[in-house]
Amino acid sequence: MKVHIETMGCQMNVLDSEILRSLLASAGMELVDDALSADVLLYNTCSVRDQAENKVHSHLGRACGKKANGREIVIGVLGCMAQRFGTELIKRHRGVDIVAGPGQLGRLVELIQLVTDGQGPQVALDSSRNKTHADDVVEFLDHYRDPNRCHLPGQAYVRIMRGCDKFCTYCIVPYVRGPERSRPPDDIIEEVRRLVDAGVTQVTLLGQTVNSYHSGSTGLADLLSRLDTVAGLKRVRFVTSYPGDFDRAIFQAMRDLPKACEYLHIPAQSGSDNMLRAMGRRYSRGEYDDLIAAARQTVPGIAIVGDFIVGFPGETQADFDASADLIRQSGYRNSYIFKYSPRPGTTGAKRLADDIPEDVKRSRNRELLAVQQEVSLADNRALTGQTVEILVEGPSPRANRQPNSQNQLVGRTRTDHIVVFDGAKNLAGQYANVKITNATALTLFGQL
Ligand code: 5AD
Ligand code: SF4
């Protein structure tokens, strides 16, 4: 049986799809890149914005259309949208056979089997918010991971926690991914050891509010210290941090531990106290500024990355200007900027009218991007002339498109700066020292 998995959304989904591929392959299924040749089409979905969901609905419309025209395929919807819509997906798209929530991926072989045995559509959703880490049917599978299926050579994502308890008013995550629950540190260390034995040298620890990680008396700073002792591991990153109750010991760990990278993804969402309050973020602009200042003071050379939402209900020009001001002042290496998208069921969608017109959202989005580009360019230019260590990912995306860029490789520094340079393809997964010769807002260029 040939299976194709389409993955949307965040790193959590990339990791879930990776685990799923190992699981399906070990059950004798063949994973294919080409959706047209597949017998089973699986969509691992995201609910964080309307746009992401619409894309899945149109994929499903097309796939179900083919099925109606006589193609025999099993169609499955996995992840956040599956959890959010449940059986409604089967009613809306006649032809969907499987709906499985993010904690149910471990049951997929069984679900596919039931469908091909003629048992009809299968729906497996996560139970209420009232559960612990051990209830997730997928987690035990981490030990079945095939490191050759990792997203990039020598790199792996490792989940250290699931879910979120913050309930920011715009966010669907706590509803679809359930309560915050941390994985025991021994399991994490064991998984990392196995990955390193198989050739991985860089791990990115994943959690929705990764700095809230705590298992017994072990917090994120302790976990970083333990990971620092894993022989053969070279780099550890963690995403995404929440700016409230940020334990400063994490900065000290980043400064003192050779493996902990100088990289912090810490979304502000807005630079205005009014908006932060309306969003239910549990910190003020002043507290955020203090946190960034502490990070810069403790961890020399740290790269800081942010997220912003523009056009949240009630956002005035002054609120928006405060976000632009924060980007200028923070020296972010990069920011991800999103237009507010009301999510059904969240407090924001229930209580606040989506009152900022689409064209205002769009122009604010463009304006913030332009501000960030200036800041990114200055940040990148500051690196020119320096020699940096990069982990090579492989051929640069341009290498395939432009005939004179065939030897172009791409890699990343410890601070996650993207560097493009000429080199041999077999460097993928290796470390190299590159001298930076040129910079744009998005990319650094260098020579080995
Ligand atoms: N609308 C727009 N952006 C959102 N994000 C989360 N929920 C929404 C929403 N309803 C953004 C936040 C978050 C990132 C992953 O997506 O900036 O940090
Ligand atoms: Fe969503 Fe807020 Fe939790 Fe992040 S911290 S996942 S934005 S609810």
Side-chain angles (χ1 to χ4, degrees), residues 42 71 152 173 184 201 237 256 287-288 290 325 330 349 354 445:
L42 300 175
R71 232 189 100 195
L152 283 168
V173 166
T201 61
R237 267 199 251 288
D256 297 338
E287 284 163 344
Y288 186 85
D290 289 348
D325 169 71
S330 68
D354 183 18
F445 296 88

Side-chain angles (χ1 to χ4, degrees), residues 48-49 170-172 267 269 307-309 336 338-343:
V48 93
R49 279 171 293 275
Y170 52 81
C171 189
I172 195 74
Q269 310 299 0
D307 289 3
F308 285 87
I309 296 176
Y336 299 97
F338 306 102
K339 291 180 291 179
Y340 173 61
S341 164
R343 306 284 66 220

Side-chain angles (χ1 to χ4, degrees), residues 129-279:
R129 283 191 49 83
N130 189 10
K131 62 178 180 182
T132 67
H133 182 80
D135 296 328
D136 297 306
V137 191
V138 72
E139 210 61 48
F140 70 94
L141 293 171
D142 283 2
H143 299 300
Y144 290 84
R145 256 173 98 178
D146 175 355
N148 296 316
R149 295 188 185 278
C150 286
H151 63 291
L152 283 168
Q155 305 189 23
Y157 292 132
V158 173
R159 181 167 16 238
I160 66 168
M161 60 192 294
R162 284 171 174 271
C164 182
D165 286 342
K166 300 285 192 271
F167 288 95
C168 301
T169 58
Y170 52 81
C171 189
I172 195 74
V173 166
Y175 303 89
V176 289
R177 293 253 168 191
E180 182 183 303
R181 49 229 194 262
S182 292
R183 201 174 162 198
D186 290 350
D187 287 10
I188 297 169
I189 303 288
E190 175 62 19
E191 186 182 356
V192 171
R193 282 222 175 87
R194 290 181 194 209
L195 287 165
V196 170
D197 282 347
V200 166
T201 61
Q202 174 179 302
V203 298
T204 302
L205 309 177
L206 300 186
Q208 238 77 44
T209 56
V210 73
N211 52 310
S212 323
Y213 173 85
H214 61 97
S215 175
S217 58
T218 306
L220 182 61
D222 310 306
L223 186 65
L224 291 172
S225 299
R226 283 192 61 183
L227 285 167
D228 212 63
T229 66
V230 175
L233 181 64
K234 287 198 61 160
R235 289 178 174 182
V236 181
R237 267 199 251 288
F238 52 88
V239 291
T240 299
S241 292
Y242 180 80
D245 340 298
F246 194 102
D247 179 4
R248 303 293 204 264
I250 297 170
F251 293 150
Q252 282 143 22
M254 291 168 90
R255 177 193 61 201
D256 297 338
L257 302 169
K259 292 175 189 174
C261 290
E262 301 72 26
Y263 174 85
L264 187 67
H265 181 194
I266 191 150
Q269 310 299 0
S270 171
S272 148
D273 278 334
N274 290 336
M275 288 296 102
L276 291 175
R277 214 171 300 117
M279 289 174 171

